[in-house]
Amino acid sequence: METANPLAYLEQQLAEVREKGLFHYPRVLSGEQRARCVYDGREVVNLSSNNYLGLTDHPELKAAAVQAVERYGAGSGAVRPIAGTMEIHVELEMRLARFKRTEAALVFQSGFTANAGTVSCILGRGDVIVSDELNHASIIDGARLSRAEIKIFPHKDVAAARKLLAEAREEVQGRGGHILLITDGVFSMDGDIAPLPDLVAAAREYGAIMMVDDAHASGVLGDHGRGTVDHFGLHGQVHIQVGTLSKALGGLGGYVAGSRTLIDYLILRARPFLFSTSHPPAVTAVALKALELLEEDDTLVKRLWNNTRYFRDGLARLGYDVSTSQTPIIPVIVGEEKGAVQLSELLFEEGVFAQSVVYPTVPRGKARVRNIVTAGHTRADLDQALDAYARVGTKLGLIRP
Ligand code: PMP
């Protein structure tokens, strides 16, 4: 007897999204990831990647990958704790610890697994996680997996975080539980920076572990891109720093930087480290080379920030609401979902790729087009994008001519 397709309910849910015109297959890139490249067959100024320093096509990174393949092979062949820890993995971790000015560091397959794997294993039932409402999905998943209680504070609201920390302290006292205060360093949808000094002070007062996810600050904020902790001069005061190798550093991977004790515990318990195969040597070689370039020279970081200021000022001058952006992530807030999708599509037709972001990635009524500026953009690229924003925004009635 033929039974009904048990996956039919998925089609119903998809149909609802399609009806609203909100279902899209990802645009497809031909050739390399660059500031100006070809998506879906059209040459565009690319304002959608996280390639902050423009390193994805850097000749030295590519050469490092090729050499690593020749020297160490294509794959690592095992998970780290069994037989998949190669010399090059250890070398990268030592370099990362030095770069971040911490005792030790541990590399994960991605920033996502670094966050989720860390939060889920250092906390458990009876513990409390106090988390900013706009923290990344990998933090949320890690928190859920940990089975700790999760308390969410309104975005960047330190007074609210303090109240939750006080509640948490009451709750964990007596049962010997732990408290984690966690924030993104730079928020991925708004491009604003966490109030880290105040959060660090609050964590200290309430005896909480302080953790920061620096995915969008790695290679972007701080001296030579060392991150939010360095930006605020808080070395030694944040217990856990997560960074990514997948964005500004041009390759793939995530890492945790902190004390030797923390790293040894992660080696013992972090599930993505224990149960998922380690990076191929080429991935590690790319990260090592990117780190070397970043340590030697901060020209790209400076160029990134020059471009950021130029583009943000340009959009604001046109009359766009660039929200609370303080970094190369510059959203243009449209509000209503269809408007954001339309703006993004018309921009694309004009040769500018800036992705629309809608609910549930951002709250309802806060749909936007998100721009990410990189060091790879020339002034001509940015001017072309601003001209397109002027034309399309006027056409859609988002700005006045
Ligand atoms: N944290 C934040 C805030 C992010 O935006 C991302 C990437 N979208 C990650 C973590 C995950 O990093 P990765 O891409 O290296 O997995």
Side-chain angles (χ1 to χ4, degrees), residues 50 52 109-115 134-139 184-189 213-216 242-247 251-255 329 370:
N50 298 128
Y52 291 111
Q109 294 83 357
S110 67
F112 195 106
T113 55
N115 270 328
L134 296 189
N135 278 346
H136 190 251
S138 51
I139 293 174
D184 281 7
V186 171
F187 290 87
S188 55
M189 294 302 146
D213 167 17
D214 253 352
H216 291 277
V242 165
T244 186
L245 307 168
S246 329
K247 300 182 193 293
L252 174 71
Y255 61 88
I329 300 174
R370 187 178 64 156

Side-chain angles (χ1 to χ4, degrees), residues 277-297:
T277 297
S278 56
H279 278 160
V283 169
T284 309
V286 163
L288 263 170
K289 180 53 76 179
L291 205 55
E292 191 185 307
L293 294 180
L294 197 55
E295 276 186 318
E296 267 170 16
D297 183 2

Side-chain angles (χ1 to χ4, degrees), residues 44-318:
V44 287
V45 175
N46 179 8
L47 292 170
S48 289
S49 84
N50 298 128
N51 186 21
Y52 291 111
L53 299 177
L55 289 179
T56 49
D57 67 342
H58 196 288
E60 288 191 49
L61 268 63
K62 295 198 307 194
V66 171
Q67 266 173 24
V69 168
E70 280 167 359
R71 208 177 283 170
Y72 307 117
S76 76
V79 297
R80 288 284 300 269
I82 307 276
T85 294
M86 304 173 100
E87 283 171 348
I88 191 169
H89 294 141
V90 178
E91 190 187 339
L92 175 60
E93 288 168 347
M94 283 162 52
R95 288 291 290 266
L96 281 167
R98 197 176 76 191
F99 181 67
K100 297 293 282 188
R101 308 204 166 121
T102 57
E103 273 176 22
L106 193 70
V107 171
F108 285 74
Q109 294 83 357
S110 67
F112 195 106
T113 55
N115 270 328
T118 300
V119 174
S120 61
C121 85
I122 62 163
L123 297 150
R125 240 187 267 282
D127 297 331
V128 181
I129 298 171
V130 178
S131 177
D132 187 291
E133 66 178 338
L134 296 189
N135 278 346
H136 190 251
S138 51
I139 293 174
I140 297 168
D141 286 8
R144 287 179 182 153
L145 281 170
S146 76
R147 297 191 169 89
E149 187 196 337
I150 304 164
K151 294 179 187 284
I152 308 287
F153 58 92
H155 184 46
K156 296 197 354 180
D157 186 339
V158 180
R162 280 177 167 275
K163 274 200 192 125
L164 296 179
L165 286 166
E167 268 176 39
R169 191 165 61 177
E170 289 279 300
E171 287 168 27
V172 301
Q173 255 168 12
R175 65 177 189 228
H178 312 282
I179 308 170
L180 174 74
L181 177 58
I182 183 161
T183 184
D184 281 7
V186 171
F187 290 87
S188 55
M189 294 302 146
D190 293 86
D192 52 345
I193 302 173
L196 202 59
D198 292 342
L199 290 174
V200 163
R204 190 181 304 126
E205 203 175 312
Y206 292 95
I209 305 159
M210 183 75 231
M211 174 165 171
V212 60
D213 167 17
D214 253 352
H216 291 277
S218 308
V220 174
L221 273 184
D223 176 43
H224 290 242
R226 283 187 167 77
T228 322
V229 168
D230 187 89
H231 171 75
F232 285 115
L234 293 169
H235 286 290
Q237 299 182 58
V238 172
H239 304 99
I240 309 175
Q241 297 182 59
V242 165
T244 186
L245 307 168
S246 329
K247 300 182 193 293
L249 274 81
L252 174 71
Y255 61 88
V256 178
S259 67
R260 187 73 253 169
T261 305
L262 170 71
I263 299 308
D264 285 355
Y265 188 82
L266 295 178
I267 289 171
L268 188 71
R269 291 273 187 263
R271 291 168 75 82
F273 181 84
L274 296 176
F275 298 117
S276 183
T277 297
S278 56
H279 278 160
V283 169
T284 309
V286 163
L288 263 170
K289 180 53 76 179
L291 205 55
E292 191 185 307
L293 294 180
L294 197 55
E295 276 186 318
E296 267 170 16
D297 183 2
D298 66 351
T299 310
L300 290 176
V301 181
K302 289 194 172 126
R303 194 176 301 158
L304 169 67
W305 281 96
N306 279 336
N307 281 348
T308 297
R309 278 185 286 272
Y310 184 78
F311 196 66
R312 189 174 51 217
D313 291 351
L315 284 174
R317 214 172 300 124
L318 287 174

